[in-house]
Amino acid sequence: MYRYDDFDRDYVNARVAEFREQVERRIAGGLTEAEFLPLRLRNGLYLQLHAYMYRIAIPYGTLNSRKLRQLAMIADRWDRGYGHITTRTNIQFNWPKLRDVPDMMQALADVEMHSIQTSGNCVRNVTADHLAGATPEEIEDPRATAELLRQWSTDHPEFNWLPRKFKIGVTAAPHDRAATKTHDIGLIMRRDETGAVGYEVSIGGGLGRTPLVAKVVREFLPKADLLPYIEAILEVYNLAGRRDNKHKARLKILVHEVGLDTLRARIEAAFVHRKAAFRGVSPALLAEIEAAFAPPAFVALPTDGFERAYAVDPGFRSWVDVNVEAHRRDDYAIATISLKPLGGTPGDITSDQMRLVADLAETFAHDELRTTHEQNLVLPHLPKAHLPTVYAALKAAKLATANAGLVSDIIACPGMDYCSLATARSIPVAQGIAEVFADLDQQRDIGPLKIKISGCINACGHHHVGHIGILGLDRAGVENYQITLGGDATETAAIGEKMGPGFAYDEIVPAVERLIEAYLELRLEPGETFLEAYRRLGVEPFKAALYQAEARSDAA
C-alpha cells in the first residue's frame, strides 16, 4: 500500500491541529452549530440520532496490521469497543464525544490514516476491487490508479466544493466487484487492439432518490490521459451541475437531463484544453505509486496439511468452499472474513476481533487485508498451508461464518437504530432474514443471492442493486418496507424493479421467505441462481409469490 512521505505527514498533522482548534471554539461557544457543520463534515464527523459518528477513510479498502490495531485502540479508548465497515470500504465509529475527536484524528495520523473528504461535496474515498493484486483475472492492480486519483483529488483547489458528493470506483477485472456502474465515474481497465492498457470510462451512476446505472462516455482512454480527462468531467459537472436542489445535484441528474451525447461533447471539448495544459504525472511519483503495490514476497509452502484438513473437517471444507477464492498462485488463496454472523449487525467488528485479524494478517498473510463494499474483510494473500490455522482462529473469534455471497451475507445500513435520516430499521430486518436461513447447508442450496437493505431513500444499503432489495420507509408514522427485485451491481448492472405495496415490519421477513421459496421451486436446476431465474422468468411469478397471502385473503 502507499506509504506517507514527509509532505503527507505534515499535511495530515496540520489538518489535525486545525480541526482541534475548531472543536475547541465550538465547545467554548465561539462557533455555532451552523458554522461548525461544514468544518466537521470536511473531516468526516456527522451528528447522528444519538451521538456523533466519525467516518475514517480506508483508501481502496487496503489496511495492514498496524492500522487495524490502531483502529481497535481507538474503538476501546474513545468509542464502545467496535467499528462498522461501510459500503464505501471505510470504517466508522458511532459513539465518539466531540472533545475526543481531535485525539482520534491524531491517533489516525500516527499510523498514516485520516478522515479527510469522507463527507462533504467533494471527491470521496476512491474504491477498488477488493481482490485487486490477488485475483488471476485482472489486467493489473487497479489500486495504483485509485491511489493516483486519491492524491490528485485530496483538497483539489478547483473541485473541493462541488454541487454534491462525487464517487469514483476502479476495477481491472472482467467481473466487476467494485460496483463501478453505481459511481459518478466508473473506471474499468481495458486493453486496446495494440495491447496498451487504458480505461473504459462511465459516468452518471448512483443510487439514492434517483437510481441510475452509469453510461459509457469513453470506450478507451489511454492511461496517460486519465487525470486531464477526469478533470474535464469534473469541470463540466462543476459548472453545469445544479446547486439549487441537493436532490438533483448529482452528475447522474445532469447526464439524465442534458443527455449523454451532449455531455460527452462538452467533456471532450474541455479535455482538449485540459490535455494541452497538462504536463503529465511525474515519472518518479508514478514509479513510487506503482512500487507501493508490488506483489508481496510470496513463499512456496506445501499444501498437504490444507488438503488433509479439507478432507476430514466438514466445517473447514464448508468455509473454504464458500469463503475462499482462487489466487493468482495455485498454492495461495483469497479468504473472505464474513462480518455477518447469525444475530450480528452486518459490518460490525469488535476491537478484539480487529486485533485477532491484525495478528492473522501479520503472521500468515503478508500483513495485508482489505475491507469490502459488501461490509466484510478479505485476506488477499494467504498461503493455503495456513488456511486451517487461520480458520481455527477465526472460528474461535466467531468470524468463520461460511456465508460469503449467500443469503445471510446481507448489506444493511445502520438504519433508524443510529441514523438521524433513517425512516425505518434495517439491522433487525437483516438479522431476521439471517435467522430464517440460519442453516448453512440450506444457504448453499439457495446459492448466490444478494440481499441489500436501506433504512431510507438515500440508499446507503445499496438496495437498488440487490437481487432482493429492501427499502424501509415511513408511512404515516409506521415502518413500511418496499421490495425491489433483479438489481445487480456487477458488469451486468441493473436497477431493481419495484414491486407492489410495501410490507409492515412484521411482514417483511416472511415476504422474503416466500420469494426464496418460489425461486427454489421455479429454478431450472440447482445451478441456476436467483438472478438468472428472475431474468429468465420475469417479475410475474415472483410477484405472485410475494403477494400470495393477500390474494388468498381477497379471495376469502
Side-chain angles (χ1 to χ4, degrees):
M1 67 189 68
Y2 177 74
R3 305 285 183 175
Y4 281 16
D5 60 17
D6 290 341
F7 174 85
D8 297 321
R9 280 184 284 273
D10 291 345
Y11 172 81
V12 173
N13 281 315
R15 188 66 168 258
V16 173
E18 177 187 63
F19 192 61
R20 187 181 297 278
E21 186 268 339
Q22 292 166 349
V23 168
E24 289 171 355
R25 289 170 61 200
R26 174 70 186 113
I27 291 173
L31 287 173
T32 66
E33 173 54 28
E35 292 168 331
F36 185 56
L37 174 66
L39 304 177
R40 63 174 170 79
L41 288 180
R42 304 303 285 184
N43 291 283
L45 187 62
Y46 291 73
L47 186 57
Q48 295 278 61
L49 190 61
H50 307 293
Y52 283 101
M53 180 271 282
Y54 185 40
R55 181 181 295 152
I56 295 154
I58 305 178
Y60 33 85
T62 298
L63 285 168
N64 60 17
S65 59
R66 181 172 176 243
K67 295 177 190 292
L68 190 56
R69 289 191 187 102
Q70 192 78 334
L71 292 171
M73 184 279 290
I74 290 170
D76 283 338
R77 184 169 181 180
W78 293 299
D79 206 82
R80 295 189 177 180
Y82 74 97
H84 178 74
I85 305 299
T86 77
T87 53
R88 192 121 211 97
T89 74
N90 293 319
I91 189 169
Q92 56 195 44
F93 295 110
N94 291 319
W95 302 99
K97 294 180 173 61
L98 177 58
R99 65 177 178 271
D100 293 331
V101 174
D103 290 336
M104 297 170 78
M105 291 178 71
Q106 186 59 61
L108 292 170
D110 291 344
V111 294
E112 302 184 354
M113 297 184 73
H114 62 73
S115 57
I116 298 167
Q117 293 184 203
T118 56
S119 182
N121 295 336
C122 53
V123 177
R124 300 285 186 90
N125 189 36
V126 180
T127 59
D129 182 354
H130 52 269
L131 305 191
T135 177
E137 60 178 348
E138 68 186 8
I139 292 175
E140 63 179 54
D141 193 327
R143 292 176 302 158
T145 293
E147 173 58 25
L148 178 65
L149 291 170
R150 185 196 70 81
Q151 293 194 33
W152 159 84
S153 64
T154 301
D155 266 0
H156 193 294
E158 184 178 355
F159 305 129
N160 213 18
W161 299 95
L162 296 167
R164 197 71 173 90
K165 59 186 176 181
F166 201 91
K167 300 178 180 181
I168 303 175
V170 190
T171 188
H175 178 50
D176 185 358
R177 285 173 290 264
T180 61
K181 298 295 185 180
T182 68
H183 287 73
D184 295 277
I185 296 177
L187 300 172
I188 302 177
M189 302 191 86
R190 305 285 195 197
R191 292 189 187 275
D192 67 7
E193 61 278 2
T194 70
V197 177
Y199 308 91
E200 175 189 290
V201 184
S202 298
I203 62 171
L207 304 178
R209 294 173 181 270
T210 310
L212 293 168
V213 172
K215 299 177 180 179
V216 177
V217 70
R218 258 285 188 123
E219 295 285 349
F220 185 83
L221 179 73
K223 285 184 75 173
D225 291 338
L226 177 64
L227 292 187
Y229 195 79
I230 296 292
E231 287 195 343
I233 294 171
L234 278 161
E235 174 189 322
V236 171
Y237 168 58
N238 202 25
L239 293 174
R242 294 183 60 171
R243 298 177 188 267
D244 61 321
N245 184 337
K246 72 175 184 178
H247 301 310
K248 297 182 179 181
R250 295 289 296 272
L251 176 59
K252 62 185 178 182
I253 301 299
L254 187 62
V255 174
H256 178 71
E257 291 183 344
V258 174
L260 181 65
D261 291 340
T262 299
L263 212 58
R264 180 189 287 116
R266 292 184 189 177
I267 291 167
E268 292 293 339
F271 174 57
V272 171
H273 299 291
R274 292 277 176 175
K275 184 176 180 179
F278 185 58
R279 297 179 181 178
V281 180
S282 160
L285 175 60
L286 280 177
E288 179 184 343
I289 290 175
E290 289 172 1
F293 298 97
F298 294 123
V299 293
L301 297 174
T303 60
D304 309 39
F306 160 73
E307 291 160 1
R308 282 194 299 272
Y310 185 84
V312 302
D313 184 344
F316 176 65
R317 182 165 58 250
S318 178
W319 181 75
V320 169
D321 288 345
V322 176
N323 286 38
V324 174
E325 298 184 61
H327 192 273
R328 58 197 291 187
R329 284 177 58 109
D330 291 340
D331 56 347
Y332 271 67
I334 303 167
T336 294
I337 301 171
S338 172
L339 299 184
K340 319 291 175 58
L342 181 63
T345 298
D348 277 8
I349 180 170
T350 69
S351 55
D352 287 341
Q353 289 173 329
M354 290 183 209
R355 280 184 280 268
L356 171 75
V357 174
D359 290 344
L360 294 176
E362 184 176 42
T363 305
F364 301 111
H366 298 282
D367 200 19
E368 186 173 344
L369 60 134
R370 311 277 172 79
T371 56
T372 82
H373 83 274
E374 295 189 327
Q375 299 178 296
N376 291 318
L377 299 177
V378 168
L379 295 174
H381 303 296
L382 182 58
K384 286 183 178 178
H386 296 320
L387 276 169
T389 302
V390 168
Y391 168 74
L394 292 173
K395 184 178 179 181
K398 299 181 179 179
L399 287 171
T401 307
N403 66 344
L406 301 182
V407 64
S408 66
D409 185 13
I410 299 169
I411 289 179
C413 73
M416 209 158 57
D417 288 302
Y418 294 96
C419 182
S420 58
L421 300 177
T423 49
R425 289 168 290 174
S426 299
I427 294 170
V429 175
Q431 292 169 331
I433 295 170
E435 288 169 3
V436 167
F437 299 100
D439 184 84
L440 292 177
D441 289 335
Q442 180 189 23
Q443 290 193 50
R444 290 182 66 184
D445 179 53
I446 293 168
L449 179 54
K450 306 288 189 182
I451 298 179
K452 306 186 180 187
I453 307 172
S454 299
C456 79
I457 197 66
N458 291 303
C460 293
H462 293 189
H463 67 276
H464 294 295
V465 288
H467 301 165
I468 298 174
I470 301 172
L471 168 62
L473 298 169
D474 180 307
R475 299 293 191 206
V478 178
E479 290 168 300
N480 185 271
Y481 293 86
Q482 184 182 91
I483 288 180
T484 55
L485 296 180
D488 181 14
T490 71
E491 64 278 3
T492 54
I495 301 299
E497 185 173 353
K498 191 185 301 182
M499 297 298 101
F503 296 86
Y505 175 76
D506 59 355
E507 297 172 338
I508 185 61
V509 174
V512 172
E513 192 173 7
R514 290 196 299 275
L515 279 173
I516 295 174
E517 289 172 351
Y519 151 66
L520 293 174
E521 293 176 2
L522 292 166
R523 66 184 180 182
L524 286 176
E525 55 186 2
E528 185 178 41
T529 68
F530 181 94
L531 186 59
E532 289 168 344
Y534 177 83
R535 287 175 170 172
R536 175 176 60 85
L537 295 166
V539 67
E540 291 307 323
F542 294 94
K543 197 169 186 178
L546 193 59
Y547 295 102
Q548 65 181 13
E550 291 184 13
R552 284 198 299 268
S553 176
D554 291 343

